[in-house]
Amino acid sequence: MPNLKDLQCRSKAINFWYSVFLGVFTVVVGILFIVQAATIYYDGISPDHAGDIYSREIVGRALTRIAVPVWLWVAFVIVGAILPAVFPVEKQKLPPYKNDCKTLSRLLVRVPADRKSQLDRAKKIRAYARLGAAAFCLLAAIMSAVYLFDASHFPSHNLNAEILAMLRHVMPWIAAAFVVVVCVAVYEGVSIKRELQTAKNIIKETGGGVKSVPAAEQLSGFKGLVQKTVRALSTERARLVTRIIVGAVAIVFIGVGIWNGGMGDVFIKAVNICTECIGLG
């Protein structure tokens, strides 16, 4: 009878090779989609073709030709999702994640009141940095919205030129906001680490500082109610219920979209975008 180690090695090999197979098959299906898109386009621009290039009937016939591999790919994806449950692989234990913010919060209650002034300045700077980043992101959103909601920028005469113009006006704001947020996040991480080390030094100098506030006192009043709510929402059961609710709502809306014909409209628009705008054809 094979031992546990042999079973783990076999399960690991099965999952690995199946993932390789699924990845290769996914590439093949993607190539089939590209071939069909190219066929639709070149048949549509031929002199013998009359009418819309990307009609529902033409696209439907093209997809019918690759329906078998597509449905096989869907089945293989489902099998790939079930496979780890049939052949489980022991996950490597990762070291516990250290949250510097929580550690700093625990240490601050042990810092004497007369020494906390050394830590207040860094905390205020971080708050001002977050506020400045939020203000800049809001400005970037407003400037982008001003351009996007101006109908005169999209007369629909030359789609490529309109998209390029939109990117020239909107992307700099988005990129700048992204850079600002990243810089503030990096600064906060460095600042918290410095403040954490300062708090440790103060506690060491004062012989341990004051005792931690009991949990019962920390969870009192409105702040305590907020902390209890956050803890309740962070439990596994709450996350599971949230996922089920979101999944059910998504299924309902998908069903509504299929029922009112919205799925077909979105599909035709996606085909037009992929073949005309992005240029897969």
Side-chain angles (χ1 to χ4, degrees):
M1 184 177 180
N3 56 28
L4 182 60
K5 187 175 181 180
D6 293 337
L7 291 175
Q8 284 291 327
C9 293
R10 186 181 305 173
S11 298
K12 188 175 181 180
I14 291 173
N15 283 275
F16 172 76
W17 287 112
Y18 189 84
S19 64
V20 172
F21 162 75
L22 184 59
V24 173
F25 195 78
T26 302
V27 173
V28 172
V29 173
I31 293 174
L32 292 177
F33 271 107
I34 294 174
V35 170
Q36 294 305 314
T39 303
I40 295 173
Y41 176 75
Y42 287 113
D43 289 345
I45 63 174
S46 64
D48 299 333
H49 181 81
D52 189 7
I53 298 177
Y54 303 103
S55 66
R56 188 186 299 266
E57 293 76 13
I58 294 175
V59 175
R61 287 197 299 268
L63 292 179
T64 303
R65 290 194 288 267
I66 61 173
V68 173
V70 169
W71 284 113
L72 284 176
W73 176 80
V74 173
F76 290 148
V77 170
I78 296 174
V79 172
I82 300 174
L83 196 64
V86 180
F87 298 99
V89 178
E90 184 180 359
K91 296 182 180 180
Q92 296 180 353
K93 294 183 178 180
L94 299 176
Y97 173 72
K98 294 182 179 179
N99 192 319
D100 292 335
C101 293
K102 292 183 179 179
T103 304
L104 181 61
S105 298
R106 289 195 298 267
L107 291 180
L108 285 177
V109 298
R110 299 175 56 190
V111 175
D114 57 343
R115 301 291 298 272
K116 285 187 177 181
S117 58
Q118 301 179 24
L119 307 174
D120 289 341
R121 183 172 180 273
K123 187 176 180 180
K124 290 181 180 178
I125 293 177
R126 288 200 301 272
Y128 291 145
R130 288 194 296 267
L131 184 61
F136 187 83
C137 290
L138 179 61
L139 174 64
I142 293 174
M143 297 302 295
S144 300
V146 168
Y147 183 88
L148 293 174
F149 286 98
D150 189 349
S152 62
H153 295 147
F154 304 96
S156 300
H157 298 309
N158 189 341
L159 184 60
N160 292 332
E162 293 170 8
I163 292 177
L164 292 176
M166 179 192 69
L167 293 177
R168 286 195 301 268
H169 286 84
V170 174
M171 285 304 297
W173 287 105
I174 297 176
F178 180 77
V179 171
V180 169
V181 171
V182 170
C183 291
V184 171
V186 172
Y187 170 76
E188 278 200 349
V190 175
S191 177
I192 289 175
K193 287 184 180 297
R194 290 178 179 175
E195 188 175 353
L196 189 60
Q197 187 60 45
T198 303
K200 290 179 179 179
N201 294 336
I202 293 175
I203 293 172
K204 187 176 180 181
E205 292 173 3
T206 56
V210 297
K211 295 182 179 180
S212 301
V213 179
E217 296 181 14
Q218 292 182 7
L219 300 177
S220 60
F222 177 75
K223 186 176 181 181
L225 179 60
V226 173
Q227 292 180 2
K228 288 180 181 179
T229 305
V230 171
R231 290 181 182 179
L233 293 176
S234 63
T235 60
E236 286 293 334
R237 181 177 297 179
R239 284 196 290 266
L240 177 61
V241 172
T242 303
R243 290 168 185 166
I244 293 174
I245 294 174
V246 172
V249 172
I251 292 173
V252 170
F253 278 107
I254 291 173
V256 172
I258 296 174
W259 176 74
N260 63 13
M263 183 183 71
D265 296 337
V266 172
F267 178 74
I268 295 299
K269 291 178 182 179
V271 171
N272 293 333
I273 290 175
C274 290
T275 53
E276 295 181 354
C277 175
I278 300 175
L280 290 180

